[in-house]
Amino acid sequence: TLLFAVHDATSKYLLPFFAIPLLVWARYVVHLALMLVAVAPRLGRELFVTRRPWLMTWRALTLVGVSLLFQSALKALPLAETTAIVFVTPLIVALLAGPLLGEKTGRLRLACAVAGFLGVLLVAHPGSGLDPLGLLFALLSALFNAIYQLLSRLLVATERTVVMIYYMAFVGFACTSLGVPWFWSGPWPGYLDFLLVGVLGLAGWLGHSLLTLA
């Protein structure tokens, strides 16, 4: 969660200067490069061997959706409010974990999730002055994030964490690369920008690795 906070704050800083699809693509470039340098030489072919390639691909695509939607929300809303709204994710996960995964959600955990949802309503209530389109992006990001987490929980029974993270990086890079020619414009990144994009990729890689392990 700390790493995701670093990722989100860095994104918020960079968004006024670069297009959203370009930032998401650059984050995947760094993520994939780090894995190819730090992990691929040790694992070789094992890095991309999976029993469930289609499910792995769908999981990776939902995260692309999360990234694009969340950064779109960040562009329209303050960082704190966007983060608070996206915290509706645990409620969605708690409601769907039972019917989809067969996991029991106790009353206390469900009550905590509902309390979190009430907090979201306090932030996003009518008259709050927040951009309605930004609110929609944030809520859709929460929905995609919940699906991503449920798919992660489903896959960890048969797949290695490092393989799941590699598929996430490779599919994300391949998918977002399609849009790069349409958004390659604006100022050329400076040294600080390159450093911050590196922070995006590193925080995303480590954050999602730890989330999957958890």
Side-chain angles (χ1 to χ4, degrees), residues 86-96 109-110 112-113 142 146 149:
V86 171
F87 264 91
V88 75
T89 296
L91 176 61
I92 302 173
V93 172
L95 292 175
L96 296 180
R109 291 185 180 88
L110 190 59
C112 290
Q149 292 187 27

Side-chain angles (χ1 to χ4, degrees), residues 131-143:
D131 186 333
L133 189 58
L135 290 174
L136 177 62
F137 286 143
L139 291 172
L140 287 174
S141 174
L143 176 61

Side-chain angles (χ1 to χ4, degrees), residues 10-209:
T10 305
S11 297
K12 182 67 174 177
Y13 175 84
L14 290 170
L15 279 171
F17 311 109
F18 304 101
I20 291 170
L22 195 61
L23 272 184
V24 175
W25 171 78
R27 166 242 191 275
Y28 277 115
V29 169
V30 175
H31 181 168
L32 183 60
L34 288 171
M35 293 209 71
L36 291 177
V37 171
V39 182
R42 177 169 53 89
L43 292 183
R45 183 176 177 275
E46 294 180 17
L47 188 60
F48 53 85
V49 174
T50 175
R51 304 177 193 176
R52 308 159 94 175
W54 287 110
L55 204 56
M56 294 277 266
T57 301
W58 278 114
R59 172 180 175 270
L61 289 175
T62 60
L63 187 61
V64 173
V66 171
S67 301
L68 292 171
L69 288 165
F70 184 78
Q71 294 208 23
S72 298
L74 274 181
K75 199 161 182 88
L77 303 174
L79 176 59
E81 281 78 355
T82 306
T83 304
I85 295 165
V86 171
F87 264 91
V88 75
T89 296
L91 176 61
I92 302 173
V93 172
L95 292 175
L96 296 180
L100 295 183
L101 301 177
E103 296 186 354
K104 294 182 179 179
T105 303
R107 293 181 178 178
L108 178 59
R109 291 185 180 88
L110 190 59
C112 290
V114 171
F117 179 64
L118 293 177
V120 171
L121 293 181
L122 286 174
V123 173
H125 68 277
S128 60
L130 298 177
D131 186 333
L133 189 58
L135 290 174
L136 177 62
F137 286 143
L139 291 172
L140 287 174
S141 174
L143 176 61
F144 274 65
N145 195 15
I147 296 171
Y148 164 77
Q149 292 187 27
L150 291 167
L151 289 174
S152 299
R153 183 75 179 105
L154 192 62
L155 283 164
V156 292
T158 60
E159 309 299 327
R160 298 172 63 184
T161 296
V162 67
V163 177
M164 294 171 64
I165 299 302
Y166 171 75
Y167 262 82
M168 185 181 77
F170 177 77
V171 173
F173 166 74
C175 180
T176 55
S177 292
L178 298 175
V180 168
W182 304 98
F183 295 96
W184 193 271
S185 61
W188 184 254
Y191 292 114
L192 177 60
D193 299 323
F194 277 115
L195 176 63
L196 292 177
V197 168
V199 170
L200 284 181
L202 182 61
W205 173 30
L206 295 178
H208 285 287
S209 297

